[in-house]
Amino acid sequence: MNETALTALQYYGAVAAAIAALLVSLDLGRKWTGYAMVIFVTSSLALIAWGFLQPESEGIGVQNVVLLVINAVGVWRYLLSPHRKEMSGSGTNDAKERAPAA
């Protein structure tokens, strides 16, 4: 594969993972966390491709195969699960929803 494409995969994977991590850390709610998980999935796919196509980078590829599975579970839980609406409440912060009443 050409070097430019490999570099694009590598940097897309890194930048996408950073953006997704930022979204998760902002704790904007279940829907935004679900969108972050979708971004994590695309990051993992890019880094799997890069890891297995770039010589001596198979470790990153293997790591991202595992992360892809974890991220797919996140997409299911936060965006696709039929139970997600029951857990999301009225759109307020999830942490506040779980807090016990005083």
Side-chain angles (χ1 to χ4, degrees):
M1 181 169 248
N2 110 19
E3 195 63 35
T4 303
L6 287 173
T7 300
L9 285 170
Q10 177 186 18
Y11 281 97
Y12 173 79
V15 171
I19 291 168
L22 174 64
L23 287 173
V24 170
S25 73
L26 291 174
D27 193 19
L28 300 171
R30 293 185 64 80
K31 185 182 282 188
W32 282 99
T33 300
Y35 295 151
M37 299 310 287
V38 171
I39 296 169
F40 272 133
V41 165
T42 66
S43 170
S44 291
L45 291 171
L47 291 172
I48 288 168
W50 176 77
F52 288 113
L53 294 172
Q54 178 69 26
E56 300 182 24
S57 298
E58 294 87 7
I60 294 295
V62 171
Q63 176 188 27
N64 277 277
V65 168
V66 173
L67 291 174
L68 178 62
V69 172
I70 293 167
N71 298 329
V73 169
V75 170
W76 170 255
R77 286 188 46 100
Y78 288 99
L79 291 180
L80 303 176
S81 170
H83 302 293
R84 77 185 186 283
K85 292 190 192 277
E86 296 169 12
M87 294 184 258
S88 66
S90 61
T92 59
N93 187 320
D94 293 342
K96 292 177 186 172
E97 290 173 10
R98 292 189 301 264

